[in-house]
Amino acid sequence: MYQRKIPELLDCGLAVSIKVIGGKWKAWILDCIRRDIRRPSAIHREMQEVKPRIINLHLKELEDYGIIYKEIYAEVPARVEYYFTEVGKSLLPVIDVLELWGNTNKEYINRKHADYKEGSCVMLPESQRQN
Amino acid sequence: MYQRKIPELLDCGLAVSIKVIGGKWKAWILDCIRRDIRRPSAIHREMQEVKPRIINLHLKELEDYGIIYKEIYAEVPARVEYYFTEVGKSLLPVIDVLELWGNTNKEYINRKHADYKEGSCVMLPESQRQN
DNA sequence: AAGGACAGGGAAAAATTTTTCCCTGTCCCT
DNA sequence: AGGGACAGGGAAAAATTTTTCCCTGTCCTT
């Protein structure tokens, strides 16, 4: 486990929120669980682009924060499913707000961003790619 | 300027939102501007904890995204002030939502987090420190 | 002439996050 | 016995972000 060298400032609400959902794949994972894709292997299948190891790390982190929890069914082989805690449920509308703002403004942001740094390497959705 | 090696996935609204406000000090900077602390030097004074260079980089990025823009007054020495673009203004309520969720849940998150990894090194606000 | 405020940025180091590679088990099916 | 699905993690490499250090100017005041 990585040991921080610089203490985190977590007294600001915004810093806390971003810590929880700011990870590269966290939102996607939360979205899976919201859509009833609850088992690790199912999430792995859903997120082909991302290595299982990475997903596991994020799941663990979200579990650490008390956003999701695990049910381990004593079957054979053991079945694991993730569910939202109450706090986790309260996070969903927040994600919706972010998702909405992002979708509303992504063309604007991407265009502006491209205007400045043409060196950037942005992956457009397939429908917009032109190579 | 850093040249990405892995293309970004920016078709998801959430990824866009987090790209824009996810930087370590972006939210604080936006909050300064919102409170009429508009000049680079004033922002530097407000954010003593952060080196001016870093703030400048974030300001530049926010400007790139079209969240803020610069007014350069032809005085001597030149005076610079940052303002929100329309899109930038639309981001403010989003930040409020994040801030509110974070403030509502930070004790819960911090406690949960500490429960798991006691090795973590979290800087509490002064009022809560006990060393 | 020296010093400070102002706006700004290059280059490299350090810190952190993300990724890859590969390993541990159990069980089921063929 | 071999192969695949399942859940999970150590260790190191790579990528990215953040930070430090120090430099460029101009102008104003002492």
Side-chain angles (χ1 to χ4, degrees), chain A residues 76-87:
Chain A
V76 120
R79 179 162 55 98
V80 171
E81 294 188 350
Y82 286 98
Y83 291 90
F84 291 107
T85 61
E86 285 308 309
V87 169

Side-chain angles (χ1 to χ4, degrees), chain A residues 102-111 114 122-131, chain B residues 8-13 16:
Chain A
N103 280 326
T104 305
N105 297 287
K106 69 184 170 196
E107 283 81 12
Y108 174 86
I109 301 280
N110 286 168
R111 175 165 37 77
V122 172
M123 179 73 83
L124 294 170
E126 291 208 58
S127 55
Q128 290 169 43
R129 263 173 240 163
Q130 35 186 291
N131 46 8
Chain B
E8 284 180 291
L9 259 355
L10 288 182
D11 48 321
C12 158
V16 172

Side-chain angles (χ1 to χ4, degrees), chain B residues 100-115:
Chain B
L100 178 60
W101 187 89
N103 280 325
T104 305
N105 297 287
K106 69 184 170 196
E107 283 79 14
Y108 173 87
I109 301 281
N110 286 170
R111 176 166 37 76
K112 282 284 188 177
H113 191 214
D115 285 352

Side-chain angles (χ1 to χ4, degrees), chain A residues 3-4, chain B residues 114 116-121:
Chain A
Q3 170 68 48
R4 285 194 114 28
Chain B
Y116 280 82
K117 355 187 182 182
E118 60 282 14
S120 73
C121 164

Side-chain angles (χ1 to χ4, degrees), chain B residues 75-103:
Chain B
E75 300 173 4
V76 120
R79 180 163 53 98
V80 171
E81 294 189 348
Y82 287 97
Y83 292 90
F84 291 108
T85 61
E86 285 308 310
V87 168
K89 286 177 192 163
S90 76
L91 186 57
L92 298 180
V94 175
I95 292 179
D96 289 336
V97 169
L98 287 171
E99 178 80 29
L100 178 60
W101 187 89
N103 280 325

